[in-house]
Amino acid sequence: MNTLNPKELRALDRYWRAANYLSAGQIFLLDNPLLREPLRPEHIKPRLLGHWGTSPGLNLVYAHLNRIIAGRDQPVLFVTGPGHGGPALLANTWLEGTYTDRYPEVTRDAAGMAKLFRQFSFPGGVPSHVAPETPGSIHEGGELGYSLAHAFGAAFDNPGLVVACVIGDGEAETGPLAAAWHSNKFLTPGRDGAVLPILHLNGYKIANPSVLARIGADELTALLTGYGYEPHFVTGDDPAEVHQQLAATLDLVFDRLTAISYEPARPRWPMIVLRTPKGWTGPRERDGLPVEGTWRAHQVPLPAAKSDPGQLAALETWLRSYRPDELFDLSGAPRRELTDGLPGGRRRMGVVPQSNGGSLTRELVLPDFRDHAVKAGATVGATRVLGGWLRDVMAANPRTFRLFGPDETASNRLDAVYEVTGKAWQAEVLPTDEHLDPDGRVMEILSEHTCQGWLEGYTLTGRHGLFSCYEAFVHVVDSMVNQHAKWLKVSRTIPWRRPVPSLNYLLTSHVWEQDHNGFSHQDPGFIDHVVNKKAEIIRVYLPPDANTLLSVTDHCLRSRDYINVIVAGKAPAPVWLDMADAAAHCARGLGVWDWASTDDGDPDVVLACAGDVPSRETLAAADLLRRHLPDLRVRVVNVVDLMRLQPESEHPHGLPDSEFDAIFTTDKPVIFAYHGYPTLIHRLTYRRAGHGNLHVRGYKEEGTTTTPFDLLMMNDLDRYRLVTDVIDRVPGLARRATDLRQHAVDARAAARAHILAHGEDPAEIRDWTWPDNPRPQESS
């Protein structure tokens, strides 16, 4: 028995033909949008760009989801995995009216259709892929592999929402997508929404067959069943038959999703495998070679339509095969037979509220971080202190905040959060397990890609989160950061896009704490990668102690439309500032530490630092200079907000030249101890007047398994090297500081000998703290 009656079938097929027509028109037509006259070369765009091959399948799914939404009053968020599926999503949002709602100049008539066609992949227009400009989207389609993780991130804490995620068969070959299939083990029925993966197997990528389309139905079923899904297959190339199959399958699947929301045990989630031809309904051949159903349909199936009369005629035949006169009235508007059954209002997928997450965002309830203040002079692990505050944040925001990380929450000393919530988990639980909880909101999976994708989907739909990761391995998501930064940059220029919560990183177990794991774990370069992005998007913070870490994180969780990177250690370390001073210092972004300086307003040398370990070494160097060269005027400057180093013309947080010069001087040597690669500090400050006086010490790709201080010495970032840098760079100092130089050289050699003999740092280095503070009581 057919699911669709003849009237429903005609309406669905007409809608699908209209969407296909509009998709093809965007790729080819510069004018004559409704073919009211014979097609001529001047009607064709000079550069034919776009991807036809995936568009008919996307249009088919969109059309059938509209039927489900309208018939069940079911909110659906549509995530488009196939990379350049832009023509399809633009076509559908124009048909349902949401494109015109967002862009009133692109009217639902012939003139508006002409604008829709002209702007596509055209100078001053819109991209060929799904992008921030596309209504209804949260997923940047430029890079493949992230759609499924985004979909699950959107579903977390969104009960009642179904996220339909179309996965291209080329995309399905990527590592990030392969890991993201496991996200179903972290989704809680009833508490969260549902994700409906729709694997679209049209058989080909750009120039090759796709793996999952060629492995056979039994093997594919076994693969997807092994991932924990119940696959439903829709296969064919006859439109009427496929319409009936897909309608029946979607009814079955949505019935199952409704039932799952009431089931206490982990379900086997339904999904759909859709097998239809690549470039379906397009040209069957070109120059005697097959096109439809092959890789030749992937992009532009008739690439010479403007210059080749035969291809121009084939294009006209193709476009007229959709019978546009049946689809659009005399004004060019979609006929009522296409639109009468579509969802209305906020149920349209182009304006479903979750697709513009900033419109749903609620401020976090943030407990006062000052309540977690640590007394100056204490020695504590900064992230351990932060974990206590994050525990309170999670307790106060049970539906709008989650913590993400690749199996490192406890390792990164944030495990206080387990006092109020567990780790999300829907798979088997053994008696030896700890903190696993079906309703948990700590999201741990050993896939940085999946963590990043979940967090992006979560924040883009209006909620808040923090991604905690070992500094060296956050590089795994470099490319995902690129895409998210581009999304944020463009969305800021679109008036209807509301600001979304920032993407927040806590990078810990950092380079200077990876002495035990060795060279493979020592890499501070993520900061450099992030700083390449647009200045209005990027913020980088290097809090020197636990109190400044609390203040910085509070600030980041309140922010919108940024990528915030916080780098902080987890090992026990001194607390330099009481909470009042810490908050003031973070508000300034950088400043002189008068209590550690001896310059009386006119320094001989500036000791600058950024990062917790470099700050400690800088203070230890200042202590040595104060004791051995009491007449030397030393100024200590600490940088929390790295972007303050740039001029205000380069970054919104940039320090005006007059203030920078007053702090760092224009004519005195500056010895800068930096957490990461030294070249970044030079890059940020190259426009400054005193740049020629700047000497930076940092990580220079020297590492092994050793002790913390030995690692510093290997990279010339230790206190003794900083002292000799001062001696070498302050004019006239070398002659009168011979004894101190010799002391520094000998102390380095003695430290190395002790390390080799005993396997640990000397006590006078390991236990050093600022002499004006009482000896602290160490805690972890």
Side-chain angles (χ1 to χ4, degrees):
M1 179 178 176
N2 289 331
T3 298
L4 302 171
N5 64 41
K7 181 179 179 181
E8 290 172 327
L9 177 60
R10 281 195 303 272
L12 262 173
D13 190 66
R14 283 190 175 190
Y15 179 95
W16 181 54
R17 285 191 282 125
N20 288 340
Y21 179 85
L22 294 171
S23 299
Q26 290 174 75
I27 296 171
F28 287 96
L29 296 185
L30 191 64
D31 199 1
N32 191 18
L34 287 163
L35 303 182
R36 297 277 168 80
E37 56 182 298
L39 203 56
R40 299 193 300 272
E42 58 266 31
H43 298 152
I44 310 302
K45 292 181 177 181
R47 298 172 69 231
L48 297 180
L49 303 169
H51 289 65
W52 164 248
T54 189
S55 293
L58 290 173
N59 291 332
L60 182 75
V61 172
Y62 206 102
H64 280 261
L65 286 174
N66 278 337
R67 170 182 166 270
I68 291 291
I69 296 166
R72 297 174 180 245
D73 193 30
Q74 169 65 60
V76 174
L77 175 67
F78 193 85
V79 173
T80 311
H84 293 269
L89 271 293
L90 296 174
N92 283 281
T93 52
W94 187 84
L95 283 172
E96 72 185 15
T98 56
Y99 201 86
T100 301
D101 290 346
R102 297 302 194 192
Y103 305 100
E105 69 278 11
V106 184
T107 48
R108 290 172 82 199
D109 54 22
M113 189 188 299
K115 290 179 180 178
L116 182 76
F117 288 1
R118 182 184 181 91
Q119 69 178 10
F120 179 79
S121 284
F122 201 81
V126 298
S128 66
H129 52 272
V130 179
E133 296 93 334
T134 310
S137 64
I138 65 162
H139 177 71
E140 174 70 67
E143 183 176 5
L144 301 179
Y146 311 136
S147 62
L148 193 57
H150 285 164
F152 276 96
F156 294 139
D157 292 320
N158 254 328
L161 179 70
V162 173
V163 186
C165 179
V166 182
I167 301 161
D169 47 2
E171 180 184 28
E173 297 175 10
T174 65
L177 198 288
W181 287 114
H182 289 299
S183 300
N184 59 9
K185 288 84 172 175
F186 301 85
L187 200 67
T188 303
R191 177 191 177 89
D192 299 324
V195 175
L196 174 59
I198 302 171
L199 177 60
H200 186 206
L201 295 183
N202 58 32
Y204 293 89
K205 307 185 287 285
I206 293 176
N208 287 288
S210 58
V211 171
L212 296 188
R214 294 290 183 91
I215 63 174
D218 289 348
E219 187 175 350
L220 180 61
T221 300
L223 175 69
L224 298 174
T225 302
Y227 274 127
Y229 294 90
E230 180 183 81
H232 298 263
F233 288 81
V234 175
T235 303
D237 59 5
D238 177 77
E241 181 182 328
V242 171
H243 282 310
Q244 293 288 4
Q245 279 192 59
L246 185 54
T249 301
L250 282 170
D251 280 348
L252 179 66
V253 162
F254 273 82
D255 285 345
R256 178 74 185 115
L257 291 176
T258 299
I260 281 175
S261 65
Y262 298 101
E263 294 179 0
R266 175 190 165 206
R268 183 170 291 279
W269 292 91
M271 65 166 293
I272 295 173
V273 179
L274 176 64
R275 287 183 183 269
T276 57
K278 187 97 168 177
W280 196 14
T281 73
R284 291 186 176 275
E285 63 175 44
R286 182 186 72 229
D287 301 329
L289 297 172
V291 175
E292 184 189 60
T294 76
W295 54 268
R296 294 184 184 88
H298 182 76
Q299 292 176 303
V300 180
L302 298 170
K306 190 173 182 69
S307 58
D308 183 320
Q311 289 195 22
L312 180 64
L315 174 61
E316 183 165 9
T317 299
W318 169 22
L319 293 176
R320 291 192 184 278
S321 73
Y322 296 117
R323 305 189 295 280
D325 288 345
E326 293 180 10
L327 310 175
F328 307 101
D329 64 21
L330 292 177
S331 72
R335 292 188 181 274
R336 288 189 60 183
E337 299 93 300
L338 273 71
T339 59
D340 276 351
L342 298 183
R346 284 156 58 97
R347 285 290 185 255
R348 295 173 295 171
M349 286 188 282
V351 290
V352 63
Q354 289 83 1
S355 68
N356 190 14
S359 66
L360 298 176
T361 299
R362 287 183 260 164
E363 296 290 334
L364 283 175
V365 178
L366 291 178
D368 193 339
F369 63 91
R370 297 169 185 82
D371 293 340
H372 293 263
V374 180
K375 184 178 179 180
T379 295
V380 297
T383 58
R384 178 77 74 193
V385 175
L386 179 66
W389 182 69
L390 290 175
R391 172 198 61 213
D392 296 349
V393 172
M394 297 196 82
N397 301 274
R399 292 285 184 175
T400 55
F401 182 83
R402 293 200 180 204
L403 182 63
F404 300 80
D407 191 32
E408 294 165 4
T409 302
S411 175
N412 291 335
R413 310 295 191 264
L414 302 176
D415 44 314
V417 297
Y418 296 143
E419 297 171 22
V420 297
T421 186
K423 293 177 279 191
W425 188 255
Q426 294 289 333
E428 183 182 6
V429 178
L430 301 178
T432 53
D433 293 326
E434 294 183 336
H435 308 303
L436 300 184
D437 181 357
D439 292 319
R441 289 180 292 118
V442 177
M443 312 301 296
E444 288 198 336
I445 184 174
L446 195 49
S447 165
E448 287 86 354
H449 286 123
T450 304
C451 291
Q452 171 89 13
W454 284 348
L455 178 56
E456 288 183 8
Y458 200 66
T459 58
L460 287 168
T461 49
R463 284 75 57 72
H464 308 257
L466 178 70
F467 182 6
S468 163
C469 188
Y470 280 17
E471 181 184 44
F473 303 132
V474 75
H475 277 296
V476 171
V477 300
D478 278 0
S479 193
M480 296 184 77
V481 176
N482 292 345
Q483 297 299 312
H484 193 73
K486 294 174 189 298
W487 176 282
L488 291 178
K489 175 188 178 296
V490 174
S491 66
R492 281 168 165 250
T493 68
I494 301 171
W496 54 268
R497 284 277 179 195
R498 309 316 313 150
V500 296
S502 296
L503 193 70
N504 300 305
Y505 292 95
L506 173 65
L507 306 186
T508 186
S509 300
H510 60 53
V511 58
W512 305 113
E513 294 180 344
Q514 286 297 336
D515 49 280
H516 59 299
N517 278 320
F519 198 32
S520 65
H521 285 54
Q522 296 161 2
D523 188 331
F526 186 73
I527 297 173
D528 301 64
H529 175 71
V530 167
V531 169
N532 286 330
K533 305 301 122 188
K534 292 296 289 187
E536 62 265 29
I537 301 300
I538 298 305
R539 305 289 184 266
V540 179
Y541 300 98
L542 295 157
D545 66 6
N547 286 337
T548 51
L549 175 59
L550 286 168
S551 179
V552 161
T553 309
D554 176 86
H555 170 76
C556 291
L557 292 187
R558 295 178 188 276
S559 67
R560 299 285 185 275
D561 274 354
Y562 295 144
I563 294 175
N564 295 312
V565 178
I566 307 168
V567 184
K570 67 183 184 183
V575 176
W576 309 113
L577 305 175
D578 65 26
M579 183 52 79
D581 288 339
H585 184 52
C586 292
R588 288 190 298 266
L590 62 77
V592 177
W593 279 358
D594 290 327
W595 52 272
S597 303
T598 58
D599 64 308
D600 294 326
D602 184 21
D604 296 317
V605 63
V606 176
L607 294 182
C609 49
D612 48 10
V613 171
S615 296
R616 185 192 66 210
E617 292 305 299
T618 295
L619 289 170
D623 179 35
L624 284 167
L625 292 168
R626 185 169 64 167
R627 288 191 281 115
H628 289 268
L629 297 172
D631 295 333
L632 184 70
R633 300 190 302 270
V634 178
R635 175 177 293 174
V636 176
V637 176
N638 182 265
V639 179
V640 179
D641 180 350
L642 198 63
M643 313 321 294
R644 295 289 273 167
L645 295 176
Q646 285 192 294
E648 56 185 343
S649 60
E650 299 291 318
H651 194 280
H653 284 195
L655 204 63
D657 284 335
S658 59
E659 294 182 39
F660 186 94
D661 294 345
I663 292 172
F664 291 94
T665 78
T666 60
D667 58 350
K668 301 297 171 60
V670 178
I671 313 300
F672 202 125
Y674 171 54
H675 172 86
Y677 293 105
T679 51
L680 180 60
I681 301 301
H682 286 292
R683 185 176 139 205
L684 296 176
T685 59
Y686 80 98
R687 292 182 182 271
R688 300 296 192 177
H691 180 253
N693 304 317
L694 179 64
H695 178 65
V696 186
R697 293 290 186 182
Y699 185 70
K700 56 184 189 181
E701 208 62 25
E702 294 292 340
T704 186
T705 301
T706 183
T707 69
F709 193 71
D710 195 39
L711 181 60
L712 287 164
M713 288 194 292
M714 293 175 69
N715 288 277
D716 291 324
L717 188 57
D718 61 282
R719 61 198 67 182
Y720 302 119
R721 178 62 74 187
L722 298 177
V723 166
T724 58
D725 284 339
V726 171
I727 294 171
D728 290 342
R729 284 169 174 77
V730 174
L733 186 59
R735 183 175 299 176
R736 63 189 179 92
T738 305
D739 290 345
L740 178 56
R741 175 191 291 280
Q742 188 62 52
H743 170 75
V745 171
D746 291 347
R748 265 184 135 231
R752 174 62 58 78
H754 183 279
I755 290 164
L756 293 177
H758 301 284
E760 63 178 355
D761 291 329
E764 65 271 19
I765 291 172
R766 186 179 65 244
D767 299 334
W768 177 88
T769 189
W770 187 250
D772 291 342
N773 288 332
R775 187 175 181 83
Q777 183 68 37
E778 184 170 317
S779 63
S780 62

